[in-house]
mmCIF file of all heavy atoms in Angstrom:
data_model
loop_
_atom_site.group_PDB
_atom_site.id
_atom_site.type_symbol
_atom_site.label_atom_id
_atom_site.label_comp_id
_atom_site.label_asym_id
_atom_site.label_seq_id
_atom_site.Cartn_x
_atom_site.Cartn_y
_atom_site.Cartn_z
ATOM 1 N N VAL A 224 -35.116 -4.117 23.835
ATOM 2 C CA VAL A 224 -35.429 -4.271 22.415
ATOM 3 C C VAL A 224 -34.755 -3.109 21.696
ATOM 4 O O VAL A 224 -34.458 -2.078 22.311
ATOM 5 C CB VAL A 224 -36.951 -4.278 22.145
ATOM 6 C CG1 VAL A 224 -37.616 -5.503 22.759
ATOM 7 C CG2 VAL A 224 -37.602 -3.001 22.680
ATOM 8 N N ASN A 225 -34.526 -3.257 20.401
ATOM 9 C CA ASN A 225 -33.691 -2.247 19.743
ATOM 10 C C ASN A 225 -34.374 -0.900 19.580
ATOM 11 O O ASN A 225 -33.704 0.092 19.283
ATOM 12 C CB ASN A 225 -33.165 -2.764 18.392
ATOM 13 C CG ASN A 225 -34.245 -2.874 17.328
ATOM 14 O OD1 ASN A 225 -35.427 -2.678 17.586
ATOM 15 N ND2 ASN A 225 -33.830 -3.206 16.130
ATOM 16 N N ALA A 226 -35.684 -0.829 19.825
ATOM 17 C CA ALA A 226 -36.354 0.471 19.778
ATOM 18 C C ALA A 226 -35.982 1.345 20.965
ATOM 19 O O ALA A 226 -36.183 2.560 20.945
ATOM 20 C CB ALA A 226 -37.868 0.270 19.734
ATOM 21 N N GLY A 227 -35.423 0.739 22.016
ATOM 22 C CA GLY A 227 -35.162 1.481 23.235
ATOM 23 C C GLY A 227 -34.036 2.478 23.131
ATOM 24 O O GLY A 227 -34.093 3.569 23.696
ATOM 25 N N CYS A 228 -32.977 2.121 22.412
ATOM 26 C CA CYS A 228 -31.785 2.975 22.341
ATOM 27 C C CYS A 228 -31.431 3.215 20.882
ATOM 28 O O CYS A 228 -31.429 2.287 20.065
ATOM 29 C CB CYS A 228 -30.610 2.328 23.070
ATOM 30 S SG CYS A 228 -29.124 3.353 23.164
ATOM 31 N N SER A 229 -31.133 4.467 20.564
ATOM 32 C CA SER A 229 -30.705 4.820 19.209
ATOM 33 C C SER A 229 -29.204 5.054 19.195
ATOM 34 O O SER A 229 -28.629 5.575 20.157
ATOM 35 C CB SER A 229 -31.425 6.086 18.730
ATOM 36 O OG SER A 229 -32.804 5.868 18.584
ATOM 37 N N TYR A 230 -28.577 4.683 18.092
ATOM 38 C CA TYR A 230 -27.134 4.833 17.942
ATOM 39 C C TYR A 230 -26.851 5.258 16.511
ATOM 40 O O TYR A 230 -27.528 4.816 15.577
ATOM 41 C CB TYR A 230 -26.422 3.512 18.246
ATOM 42 C CG TYR A 230 -24.946 3.502 17.937
ATOM 43 C CD1 TYR A 230 -24.051 4.233 18.715
ATOM 44 C CD2 TYR A 230 -24.438 2.751 16.871
ATOM 45 C CE1 TYR A 230 -22.682 4.215 18.436
ATOM 46 C CE2 TYR A 230 -23.082 2.726 16.590
ATOM 47 C CZ TYR A 230 -22.210 3.460 17.378
ATOM 48 O OH TYR A 230 -20.862 3.449 17.110
ATOM 49 N N ALA A 231 -25.894 6.134 16.356
ATOM 50 C CA ALA A 231 -25.497 6.562 15.016
ATOM 51 C C ALA A 231 -23.986 6.733 14.994
ATOM 52 O O ALA A 231 -23.390 7.248 15.945
ATOM 53 C CB ALA A 231 -26.188 7.867 14.637
ATOM 54 N N GLU A 232 -23.368 6.298 13.910
ATOM 55 C CA GLU A 232 -21.924 6.415 13.765
ATOM 56 C C GLU A 232 -21.570 6.744 12.320
ATOM 57 O O GLU A 232 -22.310 6.434 11.392
ATOM 58 C CB GLU A 232 -21.226 5.116 14.190
ATOM 59 C CG GLU A 232 -21.476 3.952 13.251
ATOM 60 C CD GLU A 232 -20.759 2.668 13.671
ATOM 61 O OE1 GLU A 232 -19.903 2.726 14.562
ATOM 62 O OE2 GLU A 232 -21.080 1.612 13.092
ATOM 63 N N GLN A 233 -20.441 7.392 12.170
ATOM 64 C CA GLN A 233 -19.893 7.642 10.848
ATOM 65 C C GLN A 233 -18.373 7.604 10.939
ATOM 66 O O GLN A 233 -17.794 7.979 11.962
ATOM 67 C CB GLN A 233 -20.314 9.022 10.312
ATOM 68 C CG GLN A 233 -21.772 9.155 9.965
ATOM 69 C CD GLN A 233 -22.140 8.505 8.640
ATOM 70 O OE1 GLN A 233 -21.286 7.939 7.970
ATOM 71 N NE2 GLN A 233 -23.407 8.574 8.292
ATOM 72 N N LEU A 234 -17.741 7.123 9.880
ATOM 73 C CA LEU A 234 -16.296 7.269 9.745
ATOM 74 C C LEU A 234 -16.092 8.514 8.896
ATOM 75 O O LEU A 234 -16.235 8.485 7.674
ATOM 76 C CB LEU A 234 -15.687 6.038 9.079
ATOM 77 C CG LEU A 234 -14.217 5.790 9.356
ATOM 78 C CD1 LEU A 234 -13.991 5.509 10.845
ATOM 79 C CD2 LEU A 234 -13.686 4.637 8.535
ATOM 80 N N ILE A 235 -15.802 9.644 9.565
ATOM 81 C CA ILE A 235 -15.806 10.938 8.895
ATOM 82 C C ILE A 235 -14.651 11.077 7.917
ATOM 83 O O ILE A 235 -14.805 11.547 6.802
ATOM 84 C CB ILE A 235 -15.772 12.077 9.933
ATOM 85 C CG1 ILE A 235 -17.031 12.033 10.797
ATOM 86 C CG2 ILE A 235 -15.648 13.433 9.261
ATOM 87 C CD1 ILE A 235 -18.320 12.238 10.020
ATOM 88 N N GLU A 236 -13.449 10.687 8.336
ATOM 89 C CA GLU A 236 -12.277 10.822 7.480
ATOM 90 C C GLU A 236 -11.421 9.568 7.554
ATOM 91 O O GLU A 236 -11.201 9.013 8.625
ATOM 92 C CB GLU A 236 -11.408 12.021 7.913
ATOM 93 C CG GLU A 236 -12.094 13.380 7.842
ATOM 94 C CD GLU A 236 -12.276 13.877 6.421
ATOM 95 O OE1 GLU A 236 -11.693 13.269 5.500
ATOM 96 O OE2 GLU A 236 -13.017 14.855 6.228
ATOM 97 N N THR A 237 -10.965 9.115 6.403
ATOM 98 C CA THR A 237 -9.919 8.099 6.336
ATOM 99 C C THR A 237 -8.918 8.589 5.298
ATOM 100 O O THR A 237 -9.296 8.848 4.154
ATOM 101 C CB THR A 237 -10.470 6.733 5.901
ATOM 102 O OG1 THR A 237 -11.592 6.398 6.704
ATOM 103 C CG2 THR A 237 -9.408 5.662 6.048
ATOM 104 N N GLU A 238 -7.677 8.734 5.702
ATOM 105 C CA GLU A 238 -6.713 9.316 4.780
ATOM 106 C C GLU A 238 -5.334 8.704 4.983
ATOM 107 O O GLU A 238 -5.046 8.120 6.026
ATOM 108 C CB GLU A 238 -6.640 10.838 4.966
ATOM 109 C CG GLU A 238 -6.209 11.277 6.351
ATOM 110 C CD GLU A 238 -6.243 12.788 6.530
ATOM 111 O OE1 GLU A 238 -6.890 13.462 5.708
ATOM 112 O OE2 GLU A 238 -5.616 13.274 7.486
ATOM 113 N N ALA A 239 -4.508 8.854 3.962
ATOM 114 C CA ALA A 239 -3.126 8.381 4.016
ATOM 115 C C ALA A 239 -2.193 9.550 3.711
ATOM 116 O O ALA A 239 -2.535 10.445 2.934
ATOM 117 C CB ALA A 239 -2.908 7.262 3.015
ATOM 118 N N LEU A 240 -1.035 9.529 4.324
ATOM 119 C CA LEU A 240 -0.032 10.549 4.062
ATOM 120 C C LEU A 240 1.354 9.968 4.271
ATOM 121 O O LEU A 240 1.528 8.946 4.943
ATOM 122 C CB LEU A 240 -0.238 11.768 4.965
ATOM 123 C CG LEU A 240 -0.131 11.573 6.479
ATOM 124 C CD1 LEU A 240 0.287 12.878 7.141
ATOM 125 C CD2 LEU A 240 -1.487 11.138 7.071
ATOM 126 N N ARG A 241 2.312 10.638 3.683
ATOM 127 C CA ARG A 241 3.702 10.191 3.811
ATOM 128 C C ARG A 241 4.286 10.737 5.106
ATOM 129 O O ARG A 241 4.172 11.923 5.405
ATOM 130 C CB ARG A 241 4.500 10.703 2.621
ATOM 131 C CG ARG A 241 5.865 10.031 2.459
ATOM 132 C CD ARG A 241 5.718 8.578 2.117
ATOM 133 N NE ARG A 241 7.043 7.924 1.976
ATOM 134 C CZ ARG A 241 7.218 6.633 1.963
ATOM 135 N NH1 ARG A 241 6.173 5.812 2.104
ATOM 136 N NH2 ARG A 241 8.419 6.122 1.817
ATOM 137 N N TYR A 242 4.870 9.849 5.925
ATOM 138 C CA TYR A 242 5.458 10.264 7.192
ATOM 139 C C TYR A 242 6.840 10.859 6.942
ATOM 140 O O TYR A 242 7.671 10.256 6.259
ATOM 141 C CB TYR A 242 5.560 9.062 8.132
ATOM 142 C CG TYR A 242 6.018 9.416 9.527
ATOM 143 C CD1 TYR A 242 5.321 10.343 10.290
ATOM 144 C CD2 TYR A 242 7.159 8.818 10.066
ATOM 145 C CE1 TYR A 242 5.734 10.664 11.572
ATOM 146 C CE2 TYR A 242 7.582 9.133 11.348
ATOM 147 C CZ TYR A 242 6.868 10.062 12.101
ATOM 148 O OH TYR A 242 7.279 10.387 13.368
ATOM 149 N N GLN A 243 7.068 12.054 7.485
ATOM 150 C CA GLN A 243 8.301 12.777 7.198
ATOM 151 C C GLN A 243 9.515 12.215 7.928
ATOM 152 O O GLN A 243 10.651 12.414 7.504
ATOM 153 C CB GLN A 243 8.122 14.260 7.577
ATOM 154 C CG GLN A 243 7.036 14.969 6.800
ATOM 155 C CD GLN A 243 7.288 14.947 5.304
ATOM 156 O OE1 GLN A 243 8.397 15.225 4.842
ATOM 157 N NE2 GLN A 243 6.260 14.593 4.536
ATOM 158 N N GLY A 244 9.290 11.522 9.041
ATOM 159 C CA GLY A 244 10.415 11.074 9.848
ATOM 160 C C GLY A 244 10.932 9.696 9.523
ATOM 161 O O GLY A 244 11.864 9.210 10.177
ATOM 162 N N ALA A 245 10.349 9.026 8.519
ATOM 163 C CA ALA A 245 10.777 7.675 8.180
ATOM 164 C C ALA A 245 10.292 7.334 6.780
ATOM 165 O O ALA A 245 9.489 8.060 6.182
ATOM 166 C CB ALA A 245 10.227 6.666 9.191
ATOM 167 N N PHE A 246 10.802 6.219 6.241
ATOM 168 C CA PHE A 246 10.314 5.724 4.963
ATOM 169 C C PHE A 246 9.052 4.897 5.240
ATOM 170 O O PHE A 246 9.088 3.665 5.320
ATOM 171 C CB PHE A 246 11.387 4.889 4.266
ATOM 172 C CG PHE A 246 12.589 5.683 3.867
ATOM 173 C CD1 PHE A 246 13.766 5.607 4.610
ATOM 174 C CD2 PHE A 246 12.549 6.515 2.752
ATOM 175 C CE1 PHE A 246 14.874 6.345 4.243
ATOM 176 C CE2 PHE A 246 13.659 7.254 2.373
ATOM 177 C CZ PHE A 246 14.823 7.185 3.123
ATOM 178 N N ALA A 247 7.949 5.597 5.374
ATOM 179 C CA ALA A 247 6.724 4.926 5.811
ATOM 180 C C ALA A 247 5.506 5.735 5.410
ATOM 181 O O ALA A 247 5.573 6.956 5.188
ATOM 182 C CB ALA A 247 6.744 4.739 7.333
ATOM 183 N N ASP A 248 4.390 5.031 5.303
ATOM 184 C CA ASP A 248 3.085 5.653 5.088
ATOM 185 C C ASP A 248 2.305 5.649 6.402
ATOM 186 O O ASP A 248 2.418 4.724 7.203
ATOM 187 C CB ASP A 248 2.266 4.886 4.040
ATOM 188 C CG ASP A 248 2.845 5.032 2.645
ATOM 189 O OD1 ASP A 248 3.557 6.017 2.408
ATOM 190 O OD2 ASP A 248 2.577 4.149 1.807
ATOM 191 N N VAL A 249 1.503 6.675 6.596
ATOM 192 C CA VAL A 249 0.626 6.775 7.758
ATOM 193 C C VAL A 249 -0.819 6.695 7.277
ATOM 194 O O VAL A 249 -1.192 7.343 6.291
ATOM 195 C CB VAL A 249 0.852 8.098 8.524
ATOM 196 C CG1 VAL A 249 -0.221 8.297 9.599
ATOM 197 C CG2 VAL A 249 2.232 8.122 9.153
ATOM 198 N N VAL A 250 -1.619 5.901 7.955
ATOM 199 C CA VAL A 250 -3.057 5.828 7.687
ATOM 200 C C VAL A 250 -3.785 6.222 8.961
ATOM 201 O O VAL A 250 -3.471 5.726 10.049
ATOM 202 C CB VAL A 250 -3.493 4.405 7.254
ATOM 203 C CG1 VAL A 250 -5.010 4.362 7.041
ATOM 204 C CG2 VAL A 250 -2.774 3.990 5.992
ATOM 205 N N ARG A 251 -4.741 7.133 8.838
ATOM 206 C CA ARG A 251 -5.472 7.585 10.015
ATOM 207 C C ARG A 251 -6.935 7.792 9.659
ATOM 208 O O ARG A 251 -7.294 8.011 8.501
ATOM 209 C CB ARG A 251 -4.859 8.867 10.569
ATOM 210 C CG ARG A 251 -4.860 10.049 9.614
ATOM 211 C CD ARG A 251 -4.004 11.175 10.155
ATOM 212 N NE ARG A 251 -4.109 12.377 9.321
ATOM 213 C CZ ARG A 251 -3.344 13.464 9.491
ATOM 214 N NH1 ARG A 251 -2.428 13.486 10.457
ATOM 215 N NH2 ARG A 251 -3.497 14.514 8.698
ATOM 216 N N GLY A 252 -7.778 7.700 10.682
ATOM 217 C CA GLY A 252 -9.210 7.855 10.461
ATOM 218 C C GLY A 252 -9.907 8.377 11.699
ATOM 219 O O GLY A 252 -9.399 8.226 12.817
ATOM 220 N N LEU A 253 -11.059 8.994 11.503
ATOM 221 C CA LEU A 253 -11.843 9.592 12.584
ATOM 222 C C LEU A 253 -13.228 8.953 12.622
ATOM 223 O O LEU A 253 -13.940 8.937 11.611
ATOM 224 C CB LEU A 253 -11.972 11.105 12.390
ATOM 225 C CG LEU A 253 -12.826 11.855 13.412
ATOM 226 C CD1 LEU A 253 -12.201 11.774 14.807
ATOM 227 C CD2 LEU A 253 -13.008 13.315 12.990
ATOM 228 N N HIS A 254 -13.602 8.445 13.782
ATOM 229 C CA HIS A 254 -14.886 7.775 13.993
ATOM 230 C C HIS A 254 -15.709 8.615 14.962
ATOM 231 O O HIS A 254 -15.287 8.865 16.084
ATOM 232 C CB HIS A 254 -14.622 6.382 14.588
ATOM 233 C CG HIS A 254 -15.847 5.579 14.869
ATOM 234 N ND1 HIS A 254 -16.018 4.857 16.038
ATOM 235 C CD2 HIS A 254 -16.962 5.355 14.126
ATOM 236 C CE1 HIS A 254 -17.177 4.222 15.989
ATOM 237 N NE2 HIS A 254 -17.770 4.505 14.856
ATOM 238 N N VAL A 255 -16.879 9.069 14.532
ATOM 239 C CA VAL A 255 -17.740 9.864 15.406
ATOM 240 C C VAL A 255 -19.066 9.134 15.603
ATOM 241 O O VAL A 255 -19.565 8.460 14.700
ATOM 242 C CB VAL A 255 -17.986 11.287 14.852
ATOM 243 C CG1 VAL A 255 -16.673 12.024 14.660
ATOM 244 C CG2 VAL A 255 -18.773 11.256 13.556
#
Side-chain angles (χ1 to χ4, degrees):
V224 294
N225 71 354
C228 185
S229 294
Y230 172 71
E232 69 179 349
Q233 291 283 0
L234 203 64
I235 297 298
E236 299 287 349
T237 309
E238 61 184 17
L240 62 153
R241 194 66 181 165
Y242 186 57
Q243 298 301 313
F246 294 103
D248 290 337
V249 171
V250 178
R251 61 191 186 188
L253 177 64
H254 180 224
V255 302

